[in-house]
Amino acid sequence: MAAKGKGGEGRNTRTIAGGVSPDEKIARLLGILATKDIEQIGERVTLLRAAGFGVSEVASILGMTENNVRVATHHGRKKRRGKKAARSKKN
């Protein structure tokens, strides 16, 4: 039996008894495909977060806890800030 899920206008939000919506399945598959060749988990998290996936979605896609995703996101931001500071000192 199909049940309606939460969702926005015009989106396919039907789920199958406790499953995920087709849109969510497609998003997960795209996230996995986009990051399959990236070995560093932090880079995978950064890419998925930049693509618009939420913390819980990234955690689900990569098989991590939400807290680990938040920590990886923080480290990614910190790393980028360090690179920007180094670039500005060169000029």
Side-chain angles (χ1 to χ4, degrees):
M1 175 183 274
K4 289 220 174 207
K6 297 186 238 177
E9 308 81 34
R11 293 180 64 195
N12 185 356
T13 59
R14 298 193 85 186
T15 59
I16 301 170
V20 294
S21 72
D23 286 347
E24 192 172 339
K25 284 182 184 180
I26 292 169
R28 286 182 183 183
L29 286 172
L30 289 173
I32 291 167
L33 287 173
T35 61
K36 72 176 184 165
D37 294 331
I38 300 173
E39 293 182 23
Q40 296 287 333
I41 196 72
E43 291 178 24
R44 288 176 134 192
V45 169
T46 301
L47 177 65
L48 291 172
R49 294 285 287 141
F53 286 96
V55 171
S56 61
E57 294 168 321
V58 173
S60 176
I61 290 168
L62 299 178
M64 302 170 64
T65 65
E66 290 183 16
N67 193 50
N68 285 346
V69 171
R70 287 185 189 99
V71 169
T73 302
H74 168 74
H75 287 293
R77 274 194 230 119
K78 188 175 177 182
K79 192 175 188 179
R80 275 181 278 152
R81 268 186 266 152
K83 286 181 181 179
K84 284 182 182 177
R87 250 189 278 148
S88 65
K89 285 183 181 180
K90 285 182 181 180
N91 295 330

